[in-house]
Structure formats: structure tokens, C-alpha cells
Amino acid sequence: MSLQNSSEDKIQVIRTQPDQSLGCSIIDKDGREVPITEDMIQQACSELEKRLVKPAEQE
């Protein structure tokens, strides 16, 4: 997903199993491995889009 795409350009990801793993994890502050979920990625992308500053228009 590109931050330059509009919200209408979102790509739908279809998994054969509803809770299928993305195959990646993070280590939390207690040293535990936490699987990264689709929701975590979508939330991070949404936060980035909110903070995106559009470049000034060229004249």
C-alpha cells in the first residue's frame, strides 16, 4: 500500500483461512514474540496517512 494512494485505491487482501498468519512477529518489552496481524498493519497505515503532509503544488 502506498501512502500516495487515495482511500479508494486500497487493495483487498484475501486469505484462504480467516486468521492466517502473516509470518512475522515483533518482540514486546517483556521479550515475548507477538505475531503481527493484519489489523496492526492497517492501523499503522491509517496513522501514517493521517500524518501525511501533502507536497506544495508546483506553479
Side-chain angles (χ1 to χ4, degrees):
M1 179 173 153
S2 170
L3 291 177
Q4 295 177 353
N5 290 345
S6 68
S7 59
E8 295 87 34
D9 294 336
K10 290 186 179 179
I11 298 171
Q12 182 179 10
V13 176
I14 300 172
R15 291 189 177 36
T16 56
Q17 300 169 352
D19 294 323
Q20 185 175 0
S21 172
L22 297 174
C24 49
S25 300
I26 58 171
I27 305 298
D28 71 8
K29 64 180 181 172
D30 299 319
R32 294 177 294 205
E33 189 175 13
V34 179
I36 297 174
T37 64
E38 178 76 21
D39 288 338
M40 293 166 83
I41 294 171
Q42 291 296 334
Q43 182 178 357
C45 290
S46 293
E47 287 297 319
L48 285 171
E49 287 178 343
K50 287 179 193 173
R51 298 167 194 229
L52 180 65
V53 176
K54 294 183 180 180
E57 292 184 21
Q58 300 287 325
E59 290 186 27

